[in-house]
Amino acid sequence: MSVTVRAAAKLNLHLGVGAPREDGFHPLDTVYQAISLYDDVTVSEAPAGSADELVVTGSSHVDAAGVPTDATNIALRALAEVACGSAHAVQIAKQVPVAGGMAGGSADGAAALLAHDRLHDLRQPDDLLLAQAARLGSDVPFSLVGGTARGRGRGEVVEPIVDHGTWWWVVVPAAVGLSTPEVYRHFDRLHPDAPAQPAEPTELLAALATGEPVRLARALHNDLQEPAIDLRPELGDLIERGEAEGALRGMVSGSGPTCVFLCDSQEGSTEVLTALSASYDVVLTAVGPVAGAHLLG
Ligand code: ATP
């Protein structure tokens, strides 16, 4: 028997970053949105006495070779946390860009936790799964919850928020990823006097409740955009180009280097996709919000 769980990529509609805490983590006030790019994670039991096995495949735009297949893969780390020594075979079919600032690894971790729970019919309560997820990584709880949600702490304290929109995005991944810790280190260099409290998403929350794309576009905010563009200046050119082609607003997704463009409608996103495809190898469209990790079939 096997269980397949689908988990979505995330964007940060708002990413406020404060000065590093004593434990080294940056306090965040963020608004996540799950969008329609998915990783599918299939988990089955492996024969007793064997080791965990992992196979990773990817869509044409995904660098599956950049994903570790050893015990450091977050899906296997998730199983090591919860499986009490029994072995599993895992397949990950990736659509989410690797090291792209879209939390693909976190999606796989969340999917593995849920798949293990259902494979063994444990039916653990949500708060237990969320606590397991928070131990794996800051973005993993949101990957379970999905939709549109505010994240505080390191991002792991997640609270769903009102979102009356259907938001159309164009997504432009980069061929080479950016390291999230490197982008945070560069944020610290650029902002040695960052406030302890990260910026709050007050206007963004109001915009989400109206469902109005022009208003949301104005309220998008990412404190990691400046360090990401400083490390990769071509991201700034890409954002200008997408906005010139008709997107309401472009921004770096999380720590980058994927850039995302909010459009006024599905037709608008198709037009921006067509225009950017003339110059960029991989251009995708996606819609949000979509569900958190869930069983397929
Ligand atoms: P985030 O936005 O959460 O910081 P990201 O989207 O920038 O993350 P990921 O795709 O999650 O980046 O991967 C970051 C690194 O984690 C990869 O470079 C890879 O070495 C490692 N990794 C471990 N497990 C996975 C996985 N299942 N999928 C992708 N990367 C993984």
Side-chain angles (χ1 to χ4, degrees), residues 196-216:
Q197 293 299 323
E200 292 184 12
T202 314
E203 169 53 22
L204 184 102
L205 297 182
L208 285 166
T210 66
E212 169 48 52
V214 172
R215 189 161 170 193
L216 187 74

Side-chain angles (χ1 to χ4, degrees), residues 3 11 65 73 75 88 107 113 141-142 147 154 157 188 196 202 227 260:
V3 170
L11 308 178
N73 189 290
H88 294 87
L113 286 177
F142 173 70
R154 291 179 282 115
V157 184
D188 293 339
T202 314
V260 295

Side-chain angles (χ1 to χ4, degrees), residues 108-200:
D108 300 346
L113 286 177
L114 185 61
H116 176 267
D117 181 84
R118 294 301 191 267
L119 180 68
H120 299 286
D121 203 23
L122 303 176
R123 304 268 160 189
Q124 299 168 98
D126 288 352
D127 57 350
L128 203 61
L129 281 169
L130 285 168
Q132 293 165 356
R135 283 197 292 277
L136 275 180
S138 308
D139 294 338
V140 185
F142 173 70
S143 297
L144 284 176
V145 170
T148 305
R150 188 168 180 179
R152 281 180 274 196
R154 291 179 282 115
E156 85 286 14
V157 184
V158 177
E159 163 201 3
I161 55 180
V162 175
D163 181 351
H164 286 138
T166 299
W167 312 103
W168 293 95
W169 300 95
V170 170
V171 177
V172 186
V176 179
L178 254 181
S179 146
T180 302
E182 191 186 341
V183 177
Y184 274 104
R185 278 196 296 275
H186 200 49
F187 172 88
D188 293 339
R189 279 194 292 271
L190 294 174
H191 298 285
D193 51 358
Q197 293 299 323
E200 292 184 12

Side-chain angles (χ1 to χ4, degrees), residues 10 66-68 72-75 92 94 97-106 108 139 178 180 255-256:
K10 62 85 183 158
V67 177
T72 65
N73 189 290
I74 188 163
I92 304 178
K94 287 192 83 71
V98 177
M102 304 194 87
S106 301
D108 300 346
D139 294 338
L178 254 181
T180 302
S255 56

